[in-house]
Amino acid sequence: MKIENVCILGAGTLGTRVGLQSAISGYNVSIYDISQKALDGSFQVMKKILHQLKKSDLITEDASVEALAKIHFTMDSKKAVANADLISESVTEEVDIKKKVWKQFGEIAPEKTIFTTNTSYMLASMFAEDSGRPSKFCAFHFHDVFYSRVVDIMPHPGTDESLIPILEDFGRSINQVPVFVKKENPGYIFNSMLLALIGAAGRLLTNEIAEIEAIDKSWMVNFHMPMGPFGILDSIGLDTAWHVTHNRRDSASQAFAAKLKKYIDQGKLGEKTGEGFYTYPNPSYKDPDFIK
Ligand SMILES: NC(=O)c1ccc[n+]([C@@H]2O[C@H](COP(=O)([O-])OP(=O)(O)OC[C@H]3O[C@@H](n4cnc5c(N)ncnc54)[C@H](O)[C@@H]3O)[C@@H](O)[C@H]2O)c1
């Protein structure tokens, strides 16, 4: 099967990146969202990413104009999916929203369409049946797309195995490194490890053991990393992080979720709103003096 047309559901942080990288790689892309504001915001973020890529000589002006011309933003679900070979779903990390969206698109997508979800911590088997086509359904999970280029391919027990090589090829064609997850696991491979780090950082903060900067510095200096766990949370989005943390029932996760909620209630969602644990576009951890 040849993939030519990609339909992205959800024009937030990840939908925007997966859509843009697919367009840069030559695919026709439609991006669907229920919010016009999200679609407008997605277009602005794409322009910013392209600007950064141009500054780093990773794309030419002509190629960036060509990429944007391949993307169609819409609130019309039928138009979005009309000729889709592959759907990559990046809607809000809430099981009821994902179930609803997959029921909706299972009813209107063409027979040929492969269904993929980008959920971070849920499992494809939690909503594959809602799509009405569980064998065509697989988790296909990106990280940051441009900066972190691993894509997890994690089938659920009902996934048709023939989808795996198609997704591997597609992943490579959009400049990602596919990794295969043999059985369903919340958090795939990298996020399982990341959750342990974030959980520990959250506990250090909520138990008042150390401040944000000290925790981030420890990680950055010891592992030669460009950011620490709280910088990572800002780039993920504190709202997305809250959904994940809040859904874990242990008391440490609940305490950290309550902390995240305070930021969210003030509109501090991280990099995307200009403020989270740090302020953007020039967070203090990027200052060379930060780790002195
Ligand atoms: N943020 C990350 O770093 C990251 C990384 C990998 C995977 N993910 C996953 O990607 C998904 C999206 O995360 P995000 O950070 O981009 O979230 P986000 O909040 O930035 O974007 C979610 C988008 O979904 C839209 N949406 C909500 N309900 C919808 C519906 N019924 N139909 C269409 N669109 C709808 C919202 O309007 C919003 O624009 C989540 O499952 C998340 O776990 C996120």
Side-chain angles (χ1 to χ4, degrees):
M1 177 187 180
K2 191 165 159 41
I3 292 174
E4 290 174 352
N5 305 308
V6 176
C7 170
I8 306 286
L9 309 183
T13 308
L14 254 286
T16 297
R17 283 164 174 75
V18 178
L20 179 58
Q21 182 60 73
S22 301
I24 290 172
S25 308
Y27 295 96
N28 301 314
V29 175
S30 60
I31 302 199
Y32 166 81
D33 203 290
I34 46 169
S35 152
Q36 185 59 48
K37 198 168 156 228
L39 292 171
D40 295 343
S42 173
F43 182 57
Q44 295 308 324
V45 171
M46 285 186 184
K47 287 201 290 192
K48 274 192 205 155
I49 295 173
L50 287 169
H51 180 69
Q52 287 300 330
L53 294 176
K54 273 186 278 177
K55 260 177 50 183
S56 312
D57 282 333
L58 292 170
I59 195 168
T60 62
E61 172 64 23
D62 285 356
S64 90
V65 171
E66 243 174 71
L68 281 183
K70 284 190 157 291
I71 303 171
H72 174 66
F73 297 89
T74 182
M75 287 175 65
D76 182 329
S77 54
K78 288 198 175 121
K79 276 193 187 145
V81 79
N83 201 13
D85 299 305
L86 179 134
I87 293 179
S88 170
E89 171 266 307
S90 278
V91 304
T92 312
E93 184 80 345
E94 276 293 325
V95 69
D96 291 343
I97 297 180
K98 299 226 189 251
K99 277 174 161 297
K100 198 175 121 212
V101 166
W102 279 114
K103 183 170 186 309
Q104 177 188 358
F105 280 86
E107 281 165 8
I108 57 176
E111 203 50 49
K112 63 176 180 174
T113 314
I114 293 173
F115 291 169
T116 69
T117 177
N118 193 12
T119 178
S120 294
Y121 288 99
M122 292 191 270
L123 303 174
S125 55
M126 291 165 73
F127 27 84
E129 293 289 341
D130 296 273
S131 73
R133 307 183 206 171
S135 65
K136 288 250 179 177
F137 200 107
C138 191
F140 191 49
H141 170 256
F142 295 84
H143 293 79
D144 162 85
V145 179
F146 290 96
Y147 183 71
S148 316
R149 298 188 301 109
V150 167
V151 62
D152 296 296
I153 299 173
M154 187 169 82
H156 69 94
T159 304
D160 181 340
E161 280 180 13
S162 68
L163 294 192
I164 311 299
I166 299 172
L167 292 176
E168 281 175 340
D169 286 349
F170 175 71
R172 287 195 186 96
S173 78
I174 60 168
N175 201 29
Q176 306 296 296
V177 178
V179 294
F180 182 62
V181 188
K182 290 182 349 191
K183 57 180 166 190
E184 284 197 305
N185 178 51
Y188 309 85
I189 297 175
F190 180 78
N191 277 4
S192 292
M193 299 188 278
L194 180 64
L195 194 59
L197 171 71
I198 302 273
R203 277 194 301 282
L204 288 167
L205 184 67
T206 53
N207 290 340
E208 299 181 356
I209 310 284
E211 296 295 343
I212 289 165
E213 288 80 6
I215 298 167
D216 276 357
K217 272 181 212 180
S218 296
W219 186 255
M220 289 167 71
V221 174
N222 277 347
F223 261 156
H224 308 273
M225 290 292 180
M227 62 179 82
F230 292 99
I232 295 172
L233 282 165
D234 274 353
S235 71
I236 292 171
L238 302 196
D239 47 347
T240 296
W242 178 82
H243 283 296
V244 175
T245 321
H246 174 70
N247 284 332
R248 295 170 71 87
R249 300 319 308 171
D250 61 287
S251 59
S253 299
Q254 289 302 309
F256 190 40
K259 183 98 185 161
L260 289 169
K261 187 76 171 42
K262 284 193 186 147
Y263 283 83
I264 295 167
D265 289 346
Q266 295 172 62
K268 297 178 183 175
L269 305 186
E271 203 172 337
K272 62 184 166 187
T273 56
E275 191 169 356
F277 293 111
Y278 296 91
T279 48
Y280 297 84
N282 298 309
S284 57
Y285 63 76
K286 284 198 179 155
D287 186 330
D289 283 344
F290 187 74
I291 50 169
K292 277 196 176 144

